[in-house]
Amino acid sequence: MSGNKFSGSSRGSSTRSLWRNARLATLREDLSGLGIVEKGAIVSEGGRILFAGPEGELPSSLIETAEIIDLEGRWVTPGLVDCHTHIVYGGNRAREFEMRLEGATYEEIARTGGGIVSSVKATNALSVEGLVEAALPRLDTLLSEGVTTIEIKSGYGLNIEAELRMLRAARALGTVRPVRVVTSYLGAHATPVEYKGRNQDYISDVVLPGLEQAHAEGLVDAVDGFCEGIAFSVNEIGRVFDKARSLGIPVKLHAEQLSNLGGAKLAASYGALSADHLEYLDEDGARAMAAAGTVAVLLPGAFYAINEKQKPPVQALRQAGVHIAVATDCNPGTSPLTSLLLTMNMSATLFGLTVEECIAGATREGARALGLLGETGTIEAGKSADLAIWNIESPAELVYRIGFNPLYAHIFKGQRINR
Ligand code: DI6
Ligand code: FE
């Protein structure tokens, strides 16, 4: 796709547009289910939604001055939100994939210098421009499915300069493509070889000062960490979160992916935006997340790719009242996945989420997990006009198909994006 081109680019973003003859899955929280409006219409101006609701309730003043687009009964959802990705990196890990096929586990590969550390080498070899170029095909694939907001993490640099380059590349991606980019600083992703066995020193020398620098450059929207036996302990992550708190930056955490270290509870105690993965989460952790309003981000791509057997405790999350988002976790090691539609299908098939939960998970709940629910993630007046328009007969088709993309068009900040 040529995702950086806006159709009708001669039109300013102040143009008022009216999409009519649409079926809306608004995902509004004050409506039940998907917040469906049959025979709906949406009006946007200056990139924001002025009206979204039944066509019959459209104020005539809004019809008069609008450019009118007939959607011929097509379904419209909020633009998709991929709230957990690592799309900026160098190289790939196809060889490691082969090793796993031969019987090696993800943890064995990581402990013998493969895994994240091998992506670190390839990432460190690239400039900001090189990182952008490497990430663009992945970003474009996600955009071709109607993604309008994407979170991108650092974490394959593992030295200050390289972490900064990754975050600069992430920001640059948001300027060369029509998409909202949200960054997370993931200095505590893995221990670089030169600090092997010295996590605390790595945190003191690199993670904390790197965070300060990245923050000073305006590169950090949130701070993330990987809390795991092969990565960082609760105590080590606590040091990183303390620094984030002192800088006023929200936190999130890779927690309970391969074992239960209590990472989700720790994240909740810092009021984290989200705790992600969660295969080994227990009920206690789910309750702590609910109390803190921490969103559960489920990542079926990683579960699938490492052939994990333990499923996240979806029922416990529901019972506790935790909001559930789904995301690709696009990364070179455990989730080389660039489809949020397939992620939705996997969330249903592998984790037992309902169609409604899957669609909400890739829109409203993804936005919530990024602290952006006031801006995007649902179709309602006041929010950014971020929409996905689909050639489907029912919303369930978005979840049901495997490897099929029914996107008709998508709209970012009120402007149609060519496919
Ligand atoms: N959990 C994951 O699944 C990825 N990062 C993380 O913290 C794996 C990243 C990789 O193997 O490159
Ligand atoms: Fe991840």
Side-chain angles (χ1 to χ4, degrees):
M1 62 168 267
S2 53
N4 57 337
K5 295 197 193 80
F6 295 78
S7 78
S9 51
S10 57
R11 285 184 284 127
S13 66
S14 62
T15 307
R16 185 180 285 175
S17 302
L18 161 58
W19 291 275
R20 58 168 300 272
N21 198 3
R23 289 187 277 179
L24 312 181
T26 64
L27 275 300
R28 267 171 52 173
E29 283 192 279
D30 58 331
L31 302 177
S32 64
L34 293 170
I36 287 173
V37 180
E38 295 278 354
K39 295 197 175 69
I42 301 168
V43 178
S44 90
E45 185 175 72
R48 307 206 81 81
I49 298 172
L50 288 184
F51 172 90
E55 206 169 323
E57 292 175 17
L58 249 177
S60 54
S61 61
L62 288 184
I63 304 176
E64 280 158 15
T65 53
E67 174 206 29
I68 298 174
I69 303 124
D70 184 346
L71 290 181
E72 300 165 331
R74 289 189 175 86
W75 278 95
V76 183
T77 67
L80 302 189
V81 178
D82 195 351
C83 69
H84 179 141
T85 87
H86 311 244
I87 62 165
V88 170
Y89 61 82
N92 72 70
R93 306 243 288 279
R95 175 57 201 142
E96 184 180 306
F97 170 70
E98 288 185 290
M99 286 164 69
R100 286 209 307 274
L101 289 176
E102 290 156 12
T105 67
Y106 177 67
E107 280 161 297
E108 282 163 8
I109 292 167
R111 287 189 195 284
T112 56
I116 294 176
V117 164
S118 76
S119 290
V120 170
K121 254 195 198 155
T123 301
N124 271 297
L126 295 178
S127 62
V128 173
E129 296 71 33
L131 290 169
V132 168
E133 199 180 318
L136 271 176
R138 297 187 273 274
L139 179 59
D140 284 341
T141 307
L142 289 163
L143 294 186
S144 74
E145 291 185 345
V147 167
T148 50
T149 299
I150 183 171
E151 186 258 17
I152 304 176
K153 304 175 193 298
S154 71
Y156 290 113
L158 308 188
N159 67 65
I160 294 177
E161 266 314 308
E163 288 291 305
L164 292 174
R165 279 199 300 276
M166 286 187 72
L167 293 169
R168 290 181 194 128
R171 284 274 191 255
L173 286 167
T175 67
V176 299
R177 288 294 185 268
V179 64
R180 180 181 296 100
V181 170
V182 180
T183 59
S184 297
Y185 175 79
L186 182 55
H189 191 201
T191 313
V193 275
E194 58 278 23
Y195 280 92
K196 202 171 174 170
R198 296 189 297 125
N199 275 6
Q200 296 285 11
D201 291 343
Y202 170 62
I203 290 173
S204 304
D205 297 352
V206 179
V207 179
L208 302 183
L211 172 53
E212 270 184 22
Q213 285 189 37
H215 174 62
E217 235 187 86
L219 294 172
V220 185
D221 296 325
V223 171
D224 197 351
F226 187 17
C227 187
E228 193 54 66
I230 54 168
F232 296 91
S233 69
V234 161
N235 165 46
E236 289 156 358
I237 295 293
R239 290 183 61 202
V240 182
F241 281 5
D242 284 339
K243 171 63 87 180
R245 180 181 270 170
S246 76
L247 296 170
I249 309 170
V251 302
K252 56 175 70 174
L253 190 63
H254 288 68
E256 274 72 92
Q257 180 186 10
L258 308 168
S259 61
N260 185 352
L261 297 189
K265 237 181 162 171
L266 172 84
S269 78
Y270 283 81
L273 289 169
S274 70
D276 304 33
H277 288 288
L278 303 176
E279 278 82 344
Y280 290 82
L281 181 74
D282 56 27
E283 283 177 18
D284 224 31
R287 277 192 293 270
M289 288 176 63
T294 298
V295 176
V297 178
L298 303 187
L299 306 167
F303 171 90
Y304 168 83
I306 64 174
N307 204 12
E308 176 62 60
K309 298 297 179 229
Q310 171 102 9
K311 299 184 184 196
V314 169
Q315 199 48 34
L317 291 169
R318 286 178 184 141
Q319 250 155 25
V322 178
H323 291 286
I324 300 175
V326 301
T328 61
D329 194 17
C330 177
N331 77 67
T334 60
S335 192
L337 169 62
T338 46
S339 170
L340 204 43
L341 289 171
L342 180 54
T343 299
M344 284 194 251
N345 174 268
M346 288 174 155
S347 298
T349 307
L350 301 175
F351 293 165
L353 296 197
T354 65
V355 160
E356 224 171 270
E357 286 171 326
C358 291
I359 295 175
T363 56
R364 184 184 67 220
E365 301 310 325
R368 191 192 311 273
L370 297 175
L372 284 176
L373 196 50
E375 182 66 12
T376 191
T378 69
I379 303 177
E380 54 192 308
K383 291 199 183 185
S384 181
D386 303 339
L387 310 168
I389 305 168
W390 307 96
N391 283 321
I392 53 176
E393 293 300 320
S394 73
E397 282 180 57
L398 295 178
V399 182
Y400 143 81
R401 293 186 195 281
I402 304 170
F404 182 76
N405 180 5
L407 189 77
Y408 168 72
H410 79 283
I411 310 292
F412 177 61
K413 294 187 177 173
Q415 297 207 26
R416 181 172 170 173
I417 307 309
N418 287 343
R419 288 190 64 191

